Amino acid sequence: MSYMTVADTNISITNLIAGFIKMSRPPFHTVGVLPFLLGATMAYRMNNVFNLSLFLLSTIAVILIMLSTYYNGEYSDIKEDRLSFIHGKSAFAGGTQVIAQGMLPRSYAKIASYISLGLTIIAGLVIQFYFKTGIWTIPLGIVGILSGFFYSMMPIRWVSRGVGEILIGLCYGWLPVAVSYYLQVGEFSHMVYWVSLPVACTIFNVILINEFPDYPADLMAKKSNLLVRYGKTKGGILYIFMTVASWIFFVLSVHKGVPKTALMFYAPVFLIMVFLNIMVLLKKYENRKTLEVLCGLTLTVNLGTTLAYVLAYWL
């Protein structure tokens, strides 16, 4: 089936720019950039080391990996996105609809993804060989690239293999914190692992809850993500489990050495999570408007968890 539309010709510069801005999902870059900032903050406060030029270039590399991932999602998930739009558009699911609704040709998303990938590789080589950041720089970069680029893209398509959500937890949890810290310091710290666990649990829940609005479309498209594999009831139980796990890991991280002020900053986030668990337990996700609120609050929890660590270390 061809997905090319009249949008393939006579695209104005304004529509082209607007389409790419929307498809790039700027607000969702925060879930990758904020953990990266956390790693750099830890490096500075724990070791009094911070290279601004290195931080800026490596942050750009992180954004480029996310752009490649997002563009690939628009290209690869066009069937599911169209079905999701029919069942009811959500701000947190169904893609941006830029490709699905013909604002831009489908091929543009694929080309943009490859360009972003190429720029990521160039940035990674500069980081490795100009800044001389250590032997783990390129291997860690490859993990991020392979996980992001093939999240939706065939032939691997992690999201349909039951491991996509786990890789998101890795790549938006441990990886950005660890890489940012490592690039600045040249070695790893056990504290990186402790602070990244709650972040990983909460970003896992962001992806999981965002699969709920797409559930009917994903079923029809046979997209074998975790929610399609196990259903909404088990998905809700998993959401609650990961929330509780994030609480435990956060307290343990403070016990292991994170500044205790983190608990103060984490308190409002904790209250939101209690509310979310109650709503999920009561299956309020069956109401589409309520579900959109749950998706937004789950994203807030992820950002709030990371920010609590950033503030605790910075202050």
Side-chain angles (χ1 to χ4, degrees), residues 15 42 57-58 65 94 141 177 222 238 247 289 302:
N15 289 340
M42 292 174 66
L57 180 58
S58 52
I65 292 176
V177 181
K222 298 181 180 179
L238 179 58
W247 295 343
K289 289 185 178 180
N302 169 255

Side-chain angles (χ1 to χ4, degrees), residues 116-134:
S116 300
L117 176 63
L119 292 174
T120 301
I121 293 172
I122 292 172
L125 292 175
V126 173
I127 290 169
Q128 170 73 85
F129 296 108
Y130 178 78
F131 289 99
K132 303 184 187 308
T133 49

Side-chain angles (χ1 to χ4, degrees), residues 61-77 108-121 140-159 164 167-168 171-172 175:
V62 170
I63 292 173
L64 287 169
I65 292 176
M66 288 190 287
L67 286 175
S68 180
T69 302
Y70 297 158
Y71 295 151
N72 265 341
E74 296 290 313
Y75 176 83
S76 302
D77 293 341
Y108 281 29
K110 187 174 184 179
I111 293 170
S113 177
Y114 280 109
I115 291 174
S116 300
L117 176 63
L119 292 174
T120 301
I121 293 172
L140 290 171
I142 290 173
V143 171
I145 288 172
L146 292 180
S147 299
F149 187 80
F150 288 108
Y151 182 77
S152 299
M153 181 69 81
M154 295 295 287
I156 298 177
R157 195 166 165 78
W158 299 116
V159 69
L167 285 176
I168 289 292
C171 293
Y172 286 86
L175 192 63

Side-chain angles (χ1 to χ4, degrees), residues 3 9 36 39 48 55 58 93 108-109 124 139 171 177 213 221 238 246 272 299:
Y3 291 107
T9 59
F36 202 75
N48 198 30
F55 174 75
S58 52
Y108 281 29
C171 293
V177 181
L238 179 58
S246 70
I272 295 173
L299 177 61

